[in-house]
Structure formats: C-alpha cells, structure tokens
Amino acid sequence: MPESDALTLPAPFLRWFAEKGWRPRAHQLELLSRAEAGESTLLIAPTGAGKTLAGFLPSLVALTRRGKVPPGSSFIGIHTLYISPLKALAVDIERNLMKPVAEMGLPVRIENRTGDTPQGKRQRQRLNPPDILLTTPEQLALLIANGEADRFFKDLRYVVLDELHSLVTSKRGHLLSLGLARLRRLAPDLQTIGLSATVAEPMDLQRWLVAQSEERENHAGLITVSGGAKPEISILRTDEHVPWAGHSARYAIADVYAAIKDHGTTLLFVNTRSQAEMLFQELWTVNDDNLPIALHHGSLDVAQRRKVEAAMSENRLRAVVATSTLDLGIDWGDVDLVVHVGAPKGASRLAQRIGRANHRMDEPSRAILVPANRFEVMECQAALDANYIGAQDTPPVGRGALDVLAQHVLGAACAKPFDAVDLHREITSAAPYADLSWETFERIVDFVATGGYALRTYERYARIRKTKDGLWRVSNPMVAQQYRLNVGTIVESPMLNVRMAKRNARGSLGRSGMTLGKVEEYFLEMLSPGDTFLFSGKVVRFEGIRENECLVSQAFSFDPKVPTYAGGKFPLSTYLAAQVRKMLADPMRRASLPDQVRDWLALQKDVSMLPREDELLIETFPRGSRHYMVIYAFEGRLTHQTLGMLLTRRLDRAGLKPLGFVATDYSLAIWGLDDLSSAFRARRPSLAQLFDEDMLGDDLEAWLNESFLLKRTFRNCAVIAGLIDQRHPGKEKTGRQITVSADLIYDVLRAHEPDHLLLEATRSDAATGLLDIGRLGSMLKRIKGHITHRRLDHISPLAIPVMLEIGKEVIHGEAHDFLLTEAADELMNEAMGTGHDG
Amino acid sequence: MHRLVHAMSAPPASATFHARTTVNGVAAICDPLGGLYLTESGTLVVSDLHLEKGSAFARRGMMLPPYDTLATLRILEAVIARHNPRTVISLGDNFHDRTGSAAMPETFRQMIAAMARGRDWIWINGNHDPDGARGLPGASMDELRHAGLVFRHEPSRIDAEGEIAGHLHPSATVRRRERSVRRACFATDGKRLLMPAFGVTTGGLDLRHRAMSGLFDRGKLVAHMLGRDRIYSVRYDNLIG
C-alpha cells in the first residue's frame, strides 16, 4: 500500500492490519478519504470484497480520533446509524464488527436495535446512546417519530445503508428515504454511505443517497469494485429426461445429491416454499449416507430457523435448502457450491445468490443451475450468458408510494407539531418523492387528518389538526400510540400457526404438539380435513382449524394429496424474457442448448414455427372436444395472468364462450367450446382487434372492479396508510378480520369516491406489482402489427408445457359465481323441500 | 358492491332470482339483496344493518369511509320498493353502537322516515344497540311475535320453532375441486331461519363455525347464498362437493 494512504489510518488500525498480514483494500481507503472530504458515497462491490469494513471505516476512524468520552460529559447523540433490510443482518453485522473493534481496542460502543430488543434496553439507548446503532427501516421510523428525536440524532455524522439495492425498490425503501430526509434536517452535516451489489442503474442509487432540490439533481459519489474471479457456472447436464412442465426438478435429484456429496457445504436455492419442501423431501429419500441436510424458509418457526443458521455458521451441515430468506448478505461460513433449482427468473438475482459461495473474492464461486423443465433450460442458459457478460436487470427505483407518505406524515406529527410548507420541502428532498406536488401533499395531510373524504363528516374526530399557530399537531396521545403500534410497510398476510397435534387416549386431538411454522390462511381454505400436504419437510394430514391454529397430524404417507403450497413466486424478469425470445429466434444461440431441448425446438419448427424476436406467435388447435389458443408472449406469469383475464372477457363478448385459461412464465393457453381458428380467420374478431391496447381501458377497469388481487393490494395500502390498524393497543386484530373489513371498505369506497387517494395508491401499486399492468402495456405496444397466427390440427411441441399445467391452476376471482351455479345445479337435481320460483 | 349495483337496476327475469322457502309453515322469499319477504302478511325482514359503522370507527381514530350508512339505506330502499311491504322489521344491530341512532345525520333520518311512511316499522333491539332507535319512526322492542313467527336478534338456544333471528351474520362456503367461494346467506332448516347481515360493511361467520352448532337440523339445513344477481340455494351437506 502507498505510504500516503496508510498515513490516513490511525495507529491501532495499521497495527491490526499488520498483525493479520492484511492490507486495507484500495476501495476501503478511497471511501474513507472521500468521506473525510465530506462526500456521500455509493460503494458497489461484489460479495466478499470487504464491503462492511469499508462502510464502517470512516466512522471507526472518526470515533477513534475522538477518543473515549469522559464520564459526566454532556449528552452525546449517536454518531453512526447503520440500516439493514433484515433484523438478522443487523445482528450478524454486530458480531462481525465487534471482532475487529475489540481486537484493535477501539473506544467504540456498538449496539443493535430491532423489533426484538427489550423495552429496557431501548429506554437505556435513548438516555445513553451507543456510538454506532445498527437497526432496520421500521425502527428508524419509530425513532424519528419520538419527541426526543432532535436530541438523539443531533450528533449524527454517518448513515450506512447496507444492501441498498434490495431496499430502494420497495415501500420499505420509500419509508427509509423519508426517514433519511428527516435525519438530514435533524443533523444537517450527515453523510450517507450506501453499500450495494451491482445494479443496472447506479445513478438511481446515487440520487437516492443525497438530498434533492428543485434547482438541480444531486448525487452521491460512486466507487465501483469490479468482480473477482469469474464464477464457474454450469447447467446440470443429465441423461435423464428433462420434463415438459412443472417446477419440482425431481428428475435431477440423483445428480444433485451426487454434487452435494462431492462438495463440503452446498447451498440449494429454490424460488418458492413449496419447491423447498419438495426438494428437501426428495433429497432425504435418496440420502443413503445420512448427510446433514437442512431446510430454511420464511414459514418455518423462528426457533427452527435459528437452529439451522447456527449449525450452518459452525459448518455442521452439508447442505441447506433455502428460499430467498437467505438471499441477503448474511455470512454463511464456508459454502463451496451453490445449486440453483428452477430457473433464477432474473440475472441479477442469480449473480447475488451465486455470490453466497466462497466469500473470498480471489477464488471463483462454483454454481450449478438445475432447470426444472425445458423452457427453464433456455432461461438458465440466458441467465448464464448474462452473468458472464455482466448484464443487470434489477428493478428500477420506483416513485414514492402515497400510502407510505401518509404514514410518514402522521409520524412527523407524532414527533412534534409540523409546518406543512416545511414538511413538504423536506419530503421532496427525498429522491422518490422529489416531484411530489403541493396539491397531492395537501390531499395526504387531509387524508391523515380525517380520511380525506369529500363528505366532510369526520372533522370532529380529526387525528391531526391545524392549530392557531399554523402548525399541525396530533389531537390526542392515543393517536401517537396507535401510530407506534402500526409503523412499517410489511403487511402480514393472514397466517396461522401449524401445530402437530397428537391424539389422546379417547381419540380426540390434543394441542400439546410442537409448532411447525406458519401457513397462509388462504391455503388452508382449500383443504378439507384428511387432505395431506407437505410442510416443514413432512407430509402432514390436515385435521382442522382451532381458533388461530391449524392442527395437523403425522400422515404416514409419502405422497401429499395437495401438491401446491405456493409461496411468493418471482416473475420472469423483462431482461431474461427478452433473452429467451432472442434465443428462440437465433439458430446460433440455440446451438448451445442441450440435445433434448434442441430437438424439441427443431420439431416445433417443422410442425409450426419458431417466432422471431419481435413477433408474437399464436397457435390455435382443437383437442378433444375443445379448442385451444396458445399465446407465446414470454412476459412472466403475472403479466400472462392479467392478459388471460382480459382476453377471456373479450372473447366472451365476441360470443366465443371461453371456458378457462392457464398461464406460465412463457405462455398463456385459453380454451373454449367454439372453433377459435375459424373465428380468427373470419376476423370475428381479428387478432389485431383482440390484442389492441384498448384492452387496458374499459376491460381492465371492469375486471379490476371485481378483482381479488386489487382487493388484496388495497388492503395493504389501507394498512400502511393507517386507514385500518393492524394492531390496537391491548388487542391484536387477526389477519382474517382485516381481510374481511378491507374488502367491504374497498367496495364502499369504490362506489362512492372512486378518486379517493387510497384507490389511487392501490391502482398505482397494481400497475407495477401483482397485476404487472405496466409490463402488459409495453408488450401490447411491442407486438402491434407483429402477430403471427398458426392454425394447427394438433397440439404443437411448444404448447405441451402450458397444456400440462391445465387443471393444476387455481384461478381466483372470475370463476366464483360459476362455482356457485354448479353447486346450486347439483341441488336442483335433488328432491328438496324447498323449490325455486318459476 | 354488486348488491348496491343491483339495487339500482330492475331485477332480471330469471327462475332463480329469488328462492322460496317456508319457515314453520310460513311462506317466505329470500331476496338476493338480503331481505326476507313473508308473502302472506306482507312483511319484510332485514337484519344487522349496522348503520353508522364508519363514524363509530372514526370516533376511535380509524377514518373508515363515511358512506356505509348511505349505501345500506339505498339497498334498503330498493328492496322495500320491490316488495312494497305493509310491515318492515329490522332485526337488531340496526346501529353499530349505542350512540349511532342519536348521532345519525339528518339526511339519513329523512330517508328512513320516507321509507317508513304508510307502513309499520319495528326496530328489534340488538346487542350493539340495546337501547332502541332514537328519534326515528317505528317502535323499538326486544322481541316480536307476528304472522305466526317470532322475531328476535339473537337466536334462542331453547326456542327454535318459527324463529327468525340475526346476530350471527351467517355465510356459507362452497368448495369445488380446489376452489372455494364464500357468500352471506339465509340459513334455514325449515324450523328456524337466520338472516344474512344487511349492512354493507358487515363481515360473515361460516355456517361451520362453533357458534352455529346446535342451531339447526343439519340434515335439513339449506344455505340460500347471496350471489351477484340471484340466490344460490345449496344444501349444507352439499357445500363441500
């Protein structure tokens, strides 16, 4: 290291590096010198580059120079705030940071504060703050809503934001950006340090880190550390038959098990909880060597997860099957292989997961991709190409959500009375809210005060009021109490405890068994007592719901009856979708695919065709007594599902009586009794009409009215914005209760005040979130004039995967009244005491 | 919101629009808007209106939309217009809390007064509003015997014969293949009938819930479910296909 650089470090640091035989890395010193020059900085570096130490170095150096604070000195607020997206990460970092700090003997106090921190410790932290506080966005929101926030943060110098790439794209990121804007007011000199994995648009993050002003766009400095050794990634080559459809990758179990045996510690990533459960179970059926293989996903009981994490960090496990709960930068000991089962759905996600192997930059990470079906083979190949060429497809930093803003405004009033003009200026300094108009802000304040209804009947119940001095303040202390209980942007979906129940001597079920974890209530609604499903690595038998618990018993069966326990599914990223389309169109790129996939595509070319990159292929064919239409849009399941809903509406109106549809990440199949081929040939309707962009107008509006997805989105917005409380002082409202009332409130609001702020927030969420309307819009634009229709006599090879999904899919919403008719019709055939009129 | 939408339009001519039933030998029509019409006596029964629920919550700091009272009254107007009853019985929990009836805005009072004109109007007291309706037409009482039936808010554990009650907000879930649909319903075994909740922001309680056990002869129990624009009648044993 050059002498001049070394001079910037205080003696204990130099000694420590020397003792370890290490030297500070260039980017660590670069970040330090920029920080000391007063600059906020974004550090983009791959895993294992010493990001954490780099991020804390400016604080540690400054605190070392300051020295120990003599007892009896006047109150000093915290010096550095560290924010991480995960509680576990904050705790992990404390451990990792304490080690060098202790070894160097630095006079620095480090503590964490999460939802689990006991009340006494929180109290003590307020009176006697540590130098460095490690916490989460929710805790920050609580801290700044406190009346003593001024004092607590007055000496704040640095805010270190870890895993910034994953924070900024969500509502938590919006809430955090507002918290940061508030911190800048409390401590005008503070600087930010953002730590991030590689992202598509670093400039978005650079803007995010600093205050924006009306006059110009400001951005933080940027330090980029290029990746170390190229990862060694391969797609599993197998002699087994790769299935047409499905997500279980059962065919590959023997090969995956062999790979686990060949390596020290393997992390196996899957996309959903059901896949995790399935893979875990399959691995144990072939685990003849009794290797310690564990399971880790978000629905498991916390205690069970902690056990796995502890075993992992002590290198006692040979393999862990995990979902995205392990995506973020927790240190996982010596993982030397990452196996990714199922397609990664995004190039950046893949890169980050692979980064979990070998936390040392100079050694290449090893990873094996295991596609679960033939389309996934193409997707894996596309992701693999992308990883080598360094493509990034992280989602863009969105515009700040209005429900989050409402929560923040109430929080601001809880801290101390605010002046509306000042608060608006402060809020627009946060990048996601930089273009928030005064009018919208006023509507937000009105909403926070009385619900923002045109019918102004709630003035006397207002939660915040403008007083004579022109400041807005909370009406009573209850409001602040309520706010504190409900802070945050993570709305719990109704979840029930799953408990293993034992039968007692009389044969009835006791409740003494152990808790296995939590399961979404909507999943249980599909079950009847006696149904079996996979949970926590076991096949369990559903016994019933008792109060807030789901009772299950041992099933003594290896074949669960209900296969789907779908947790959240990632949609195929736009980038990868485009790559798959390119691959289909390009014979050169197809050549790199395994034989069985190449043969499949060649057959498709003979029987029908392979679409060009910009072309939308639609096939119609009869099968059995039905007619099918398959649309190869490659835009991800959410988009296809929305498209399916809208197209069936249109076909119905054209008199073509569609019966149903099913969507995968790659294509959409719609079926009905009428001959779709000849209808399209006769242009009744033409495909161009059917796929016209105007479907996003009235059809969308009409469908949204009834859509179950939009209701779920509304529920989240209503909870975040504080219209509905998730928790009341003294009593916890169950998720079920929230669901019921939110749906009814949604209906009433839609009928009476369709332009209400919360409905606006809901629609804007839906456009980007669950319904992916934005993506559907750009797709319809892209394919305009590029639709190719093939009329076939038989199913085509490319159609097989989606056709196999038919019958597996659960369709919410539309089919409801149809179901009722069916049940009622069955009744009609019975001789009943009650008749129907007419 | 389909109930509100359909309350505004003419009923479609369909054989399944209403469901006819008898309770203790008294003929009745289950209307998909949530009212029960007794044809012989010209009596319309509604239950659990929960008027002024929004403002009850607003008073406690949750600013629910203030439109629920208006929406519920609109549907009530529609169902009254459809049957033109001689008597209207509102079966309790007419207001969401004790203060509701006294604090209700004048416009809503006038709507109710207009609906009550030329008919008998009975407010049965519920657990949410045990003190009766204040400043409104009609009589308040705990229980009423009328037209061969007994009307009370909470179903009695001992006296099921010919009882029309509310309180429990019955709903039923139909399940076919892996899908399920839940709707509010009239629940009757021919002896007693439980009314669906009429108020637009009222939730439901499934017929399989413990609170429902012992109330019906399940072998004869039928759920007349409130569909989009018709009643779906499903036998209890047939709910789960």
Side-chain angles (χ1 to χ4, degrees):
Chain A
M1 110 190 73
E3 284 303 304
S4 57
D5 283 347
L7 284 179
T8 60
L9 286 176
F13 291 78
L14 294 173
R15 262 202 311 276
W16 183 75
F17 274 112
E19 275 166 23
K20 296 267 172 192
W22 297 341
R23 29 169 58 193
R25 294 185 181 168
H27 65 268
Q28 293 171 334
L29 294 173
E30 170 78 12
L31 185 61
L32 175 63
S33 80
R34 289 208 200 181
E36 291 188 331
E39 197 186 333
S40 289
T41 310
L42 173 67
L43 173 63
I44 291 183
T47 331
K51 240 187 309 191
T52 309
L53 186 59
F56 282 104
L57 204 53
S59 308
L60 295 177
V61 167
L63 287 164
T64 305
R65 296 218 167 103
R66 187 192 70 185
K68 245 198 181 82
V69 180
S73 336
S74 63
F75 179 90
I76 298 183
I78 59 167
H79 178 275
T80 295
L81 190 64
Y82 163 91
I83 314 265
S84 103
L86 289 181
K87 256 194 285 194
L89 189 53
V91 176
D92 197 54
I93 290 286
E94 185 184 14
R95 209 173 44 228
N96 292 347
L97 195 58
M98 284 306 279
K99 210 173 154 213
V101 166
E103 286 169 356
M104 288 185 236
L106 303 181
V108 178
R109 249 179 69 216
I110 304 168
E111 287 182 15
N112 72 59
R113 182 189 181 97
T114 69
D116 302 335
T117 307
Q119 196 54 42
K121 186 174 172 190
R122 290 172 188 223
Q123 193 67 30
R124 193 175 47 65
Q125 282 174 347
R126 267 203 295 276
L127 297 173
N128 184 12
D131 300 313
I132 299 179
L133 185 70
L134 313 168
T135 190
T136 59
E138 287 73 24
Q139 291 299 316
L140 174 63
L142 282 173
L143 284 167
I144 58 172
N146 191 288
E148 294 161 26
D150 301 26
R151 198 167 103 102
F152 191 75
F153 290 113
K154 71 181 170 59
D155 301 308
L156 188 64
R157 286 287 301 123
Y158 292 111
V159 180
V160 181
L161 301 133
D162 205 354
E163 305 279 350
L164 191 60
H165 60 279
S166 87
L167 265 176
V168 291
T169 54
S170 66
K171 287 190 178 183
R172 294 181 83 200
H174 301 160
L175 186 67
L176 181 57
S177 75
L178 293 167
L180 201 54
R182 170 49 56 98
L183 289 177
R184 281 194 202 101
R185 291 256 306 224
L186 301 176
D189 291 337
L190 81 81
Q191 287 164 237
T192 51
I193 295 170
L195 309 176
S196 169
T198 319
V199 289
E201 301 288 343
M203 195 54 103
D204 285 353
L205 268 58
Q206 288 169 260
R207 257 168 53 83
W208 196 96
L209 283 171
V210 293
Q212 301 300 309
S213 56
E214 249 176 87
E215 303 80 48
R216 62 197 179 92
E217 213 180 271
N218 302 312
H219 44 85
L222 174 67
I223 298 174
T224 310
V225 181
S226 54
K230 282 258 179 270
E232 285 170 16
I233 316 172
S234 55
I235 296 178
L236 183 83
R237 296 280 161 172
T238 181
D239 300 330
E240 305 289 330
H241 172 85
V242 179
W244 299 107
H247 299 279
S248 71
R250 265 205 194 95
Y251 76 95
I253 292 301
D255 294 305
V256 169
Y257 184 67
I260 293 174
K261 271 171 67 173
D262 286 347
H263 290 80
T265 310
T266 303
L267 263 185
L268 298 111
F269 278 113
V270 294
N271 287 326
T272 68
R273 268 168 266 178
S274 62
Q275 281 174 293
E277 292 280 1
M278 185 82 72
L279 178 63
F280 178 71
Q281 198 201 20
E282 293 288 329
L283 281 174
W284 271 96
T285 16
V286 298
N287 191 358
D288 296 332
D289 306 276
N290 257 318
L291 301 179
I293 299 175
L295 176 66
H296 192 287
H297 64 68
S299 292
L300 292 182
D301 194 51
V302 184
Q304 225 163 316
R305 268 184 284 161
R306 295 290 166 268
K307 256 199 252 167
V308 173
E309 286 161 18
M312 190 72 185
S313 60
E314 290 159 23
N315 283 323
R316 283 191 281 119
L317 296 176
R318 288 293 297 279
V320 178
V321 180
T323 58
S324 57
T325 43
L326 287 188
D327 266 4
L328 296 166
I330 296 174
D331 201 349
W332 282 99
D334 299 326
V335 175
D336 57 355
L337 176 69
V338 169
V339 174
H340 199 288
V341 178
K345 302 294 166 200
S348 297
R349 176 174 294 112
L350 178 66
Q352 279 152 34
R353 287 180 164 183
I354 287 173
R356 300 268 62 82
N358 256 349
H359 253 207
R360 286 178 292 274
M361 255 177 64
D362 34 1
E363 291 169 36
S365 318
R366 290 217 49 203
I368 301 175
L369 306 185
V370 183
N373 57 53
R374 296 191 174 198
F375 268 118
E376 287 194 353
V377 174
M378 280 191 269
E379 201 185 317
C380 283
Q381 186 65 49
L384 198 147
D385 295 348
N387 199 272
Y388 278 124
I389 58 176
Q392 291 297 335
D393 55 0
T394 45
V397 176
R399 226 169 175 211
L402 295 180
D403 50 352
V404 175
L405 184 58
Q407 186 183 104
H408 179 73
V409 167
L410 183 58
C414 291
K416 62 178 193 183
F418 68 80
D419 174 83
V421 176
D422 281 356
L423 186 60
H424 178 249
R425 198 178 304 129
E426 175 188 313
I427 286 166
T428 51
S429 77
Y433 294 94
D435 50 9
L436 176 76
S437 70
W438 171 254
E439 289 68 35
T440 308
F441 175 71
E442 273 191 311
R443 283 174 70 203
I444 295 276
V445 174
D446 184 34
F447 168 81
V448 173
T450 60
Y453 303 107
L455 196 68
R456 312 203 61 85
T457 49
Y458 291 163
E459 302 294 344
R460 62 200 150 139
Y461 309 129
R463 295 189 295 180
I464 60 173
R465 282 175 215 281
K466 196 169 173 177
T467 46
K468 279 200 192 104
D469 54 6
L471 300 181
W472 287 85
R473 54 186 85 221
V474 290
S475 311
N476 62 65
M478 272 288 290
V479 173
Q481 196 188 350
Q482 205 93 319
Y483 167 82
R484 288 196 187 99
L485 280 168
N486 289 286
V487 91
T489 60
I490 300 170
V491 178
E492 289 152 34
S493 67
M495 298 276 266
L496 296 183
N497 262 330
V498 181
R499 186 185 290 282
M500 183 65 93
K502 291 202 180 71
R503 290 198 182 274
N504 60 23
R506 290 186 313 255
S508 59
L509 280 173
R511 316 186 49 168
S512 53
M514 68 184 263
T515 307
L516 299 177
K518 282 182 186 292
V519 66
E520 281 99 344
E521 191 175 19
Y522 76 82
F523 173 72
L524 297 176
E525 282 186 346
M526 306 189 317
L527 301 182
S528 306
D531 283 352
T532 54
F533 62 102
L534 258 182
F535 191 79
S536 188
K538 304 176 177 63
V539 180
V540 294
R541 181 178 190 274
F542 177 62
E543 297 289 350
I545 294 173
R546 217 175 276 172
E547 280 152 36
N548 58 344
E549 290 194 321
C550 157
L551 298 184
V552 298
S553 61
Q554 192 92 37
F556 304 109
S557 144
F558 293 109
D559 193 20
K561 179 181 162 199
V562 181
T564 45
Y565 171 37
K569 230 179 211 176
F570 301 114
L572 178 67
S573 82
T574 315
Y575 175 83
L576 271 192
Q579 292 301 310
V580 172
R581 281 201 307 272
K582 265 203 182 95
M583 192 174 289
L584 269 183
D586 181 354
M588 292 292 284
R589 292 194 66 178
R590 288 204 303 271
S592 64
L593 295 167
D595 292 347
Q596 34 179 326
V597 177
R598 246 186 6 241
D599 294 348
W600 170 50
L601 296 179
L603 199 61
Q604 166 71 17
K605 204 163 176 245
D606 290 347
V607 173
S608 173
M609 64 176 287
L610 289 171
R612 286 191 317 271
E613 194 185 333
D614 59 351
E615 190 176 37
L616 177 71
L617 171 64
I618 294 172
E619 294 174 338
T620 49
F621 51 84
R623 190 162 184 271
S625 56
R626 290 172 173 182
H627 291 266
Y628 292 84
M629 163 182 186
V630 179
I631 300 142
Y632 302 94
F634 295 97
E635 288 291 353
R637 210 169 61 101
L638 294 178
T639 312
H640 293 163
Q641 211 153 308
T642 305
L643 181 63
M645 293 283 187
L646 298 177
L647 284 179
T648 43
R649 265 192 121 84
R650 298 196 136 194
L651 289 168
D652 201 41
R653 215 170 38 225
L656 291 171
K657 303 188 203 78
L659 288 176
F661 72 86
V662 62
T664 68
D665 260 348
Y666 315 99
S667 57
L668 166 70
I670 299 178
W671 62 90
L673 294 170
D674 276 19
D675 183 355
L676 295 168
S677 294
S678 41
F680 295 145
R681 187 166 43 197
R683 307 175 67 78
R684 292 178 297 109
S686 75
L687 283 167
Q689 282 164 353
L690 192 61
F691 282 83
D692 194 276
E693 282 175 73
D694 65 11
M695 89 167 69
L696 294 178
D698 294 349
D699 282 299
L700 181 66
E701 189 61 24
W703 172 53
L704 285 183
N705 288 352
E706 295 292 326
S707 168
F708 139 91
L709 291 170
L710 206 68
K711 284 187 175 173
R712 198 157 79 187
T713 310
F714 172 78
R715 171 176 167 264
N716 288 1
C717 288
V719 170
I720 291 171
L723 182 71
I724 303 168
D725 291 333
Q726 201 151 213
R727 292 177 199 91
H728 283 290
K731 60 174 177 186
E732 184 113 351
K733 219 176 179 189
T734 69
R736 171 92 245 164
Q737 283 170 299
I738 296 177
T739 310
V740 170
S741 49
D743 284 4
L744 297 167
I745 290 163
Y746 172 80
D747 283 341
V748 169
L749 203 50
R750 253 199 58 82
H752 291 270
E753 205 162 333
D755 298 325
H756 191 265
L757 188 85
L758 268 194
L759 293 179
E760 196 181 303
T762 304
R763 281 189 288 262
S764 120
D765 270 15
T768 52
L770 282 171
L771 306 177
D772 236 353
I773 292 161
R775 192 160 164 190
L776 179 57
S778 35
M779 179 206 123
L780 293 177
K781 212 170 263 139
R782 171 170 66 77
I783 58 149
K784 208 168 192 152
H786 301 285
I787 300 177
T788 303
H789 177 205
R790 283 287 151 123
R791 283 185 297 273
L792 308 173
D793 298 330
H794 302 285
I795 179 172
S796 76
L798 212 54
I800 292 173
V802 71
M803 296 290 287
L804 287 173
E805 294 289 329
I806 293 174
K808 286 190 201 165
E809 196 77 350
V810 182
I811 301 168
H812 295 279
E814 290 298 279
H816 280 177
D817 276 48
F818 172 71
L819 227 67
L820 289 172
T821 312
E822 201 178 287
D825 286 349
E826 287 166 25
L827 179 87
M828 299 270 268
N829 299 329
E830 296 176 25
M832 288 287 303
T834 56
H836 295 263
D837 62 14
Chain B
M1 194 50 11
H2 48 273
R3 272 172 73 224
L4 185 53
V5 173
H6 286 283
M8 301 302 153
S9 53
S14 119
T16 51
F17 180 64
H18 293 142
R20 286 183 192 278
T21 186
T22 54
V23 185
N24 216 23
V26 179
I29 289 176
C30 303
D31 187 298
L33 291 178
L36 183 77
Y37 185 62
L38 309 174
T39 40
E40 279 161 46
S41 61
T43 304
L44 178 74
V45 191
V46 292
S47 185
D48 296 271
L49 301 181
H50 286 264
L51 297 171
E52 295 295 289
K53 184 169 177 176
S55 63
F57 274 89
R59 216 174 297 130
R60 284 177 278 145
M62 263 168 80
M63 302 295 158
L64 298 191
Y67 303 104
D68 58 311
T69 302
L70 180 64
T72 302
L73 290 179
R74 282 274 155 78
I75 301 172
L76 188 56
E77 278 178 346
V79 74
I80 285 177
R82 187 182 287 165
H83 301 283
N84 193 18
R86 279 192 290 278
T87 307
V88 175
I89 302 174
S90 180
L91 218 47
D93 286 359
N94 311 306
F95 289 89
H96 190 69
D97 64 10
R98 282 169 201 259
T99 41
S101 73
M104 184 162 70
E106 191 50 37
T107 41
F108 300 150
R109 279 173 198 290
Q110 283 167 12
M111 281 177 80
I112 293 174
M115 280 186 256
R117 206 157 296 141
R119 338 181 185 272
D120 291 329
W121 195 289
I122 313 289
W123 301 102
I124 301 287
N125 302 324
N127 53 314
H128 280 250
D129 55 350
D131 307 336
R134 273 176 246 165
L136 288 166
S140 290
M141 56 190 78
D142 286 337
E143 193 178 300
L144 173 72
R145 287 182 188 274
H146 167 75
L149 296 166
V150 55
F151 299 85
R152 56 172 80 97
H153 179 61
E154 290 188 37
S156 158
R157 290 278 151 191
I158 39 175
D159 178 21
E161 212 110 316
E163 179 190 77
I164 311 287
H167 182 57
L168 289 172
H169 301 202
S171 72
T173 307
V174 158
R175 192 173 293 154
R176 287 295 180 275
R177 293 178 293 274
E178 282 178 16
R179 309 178 192 174
S180 66
V181 186
R182 188 171 133 131
R183 290 287 157 81
C185 68
F186 298 87
T188 182
D189 57 1
K191 236 174 160 186
R192 130 189 304 151
L193 183 143
L194 273 193
M195 295 286 297
F198 195 88
V200 294
T201 47
T202 48
L205 188 70
D206 202 276
L207 281 181
R208 285 172 303 158
H209 193 277
R210 264 181 323 198
M212 302 278 181
S213 65
L215 290 179
F216 295 106
D217 174 351
R218 289 203 165 155
K220 292 184 181 153
L221 180 57
V222 175
H224 298 285
M225 300 165 76
L226 272 51
R228 205 172 292 232
D229 48 11
R230 56 166 277 196
I231 289 279
Y232 297 92
S233 304
V234 183
R235 206 155 54 80
Y236 182 79
D237 293 333
N238 208 26
L239 286 168
I240 292 158

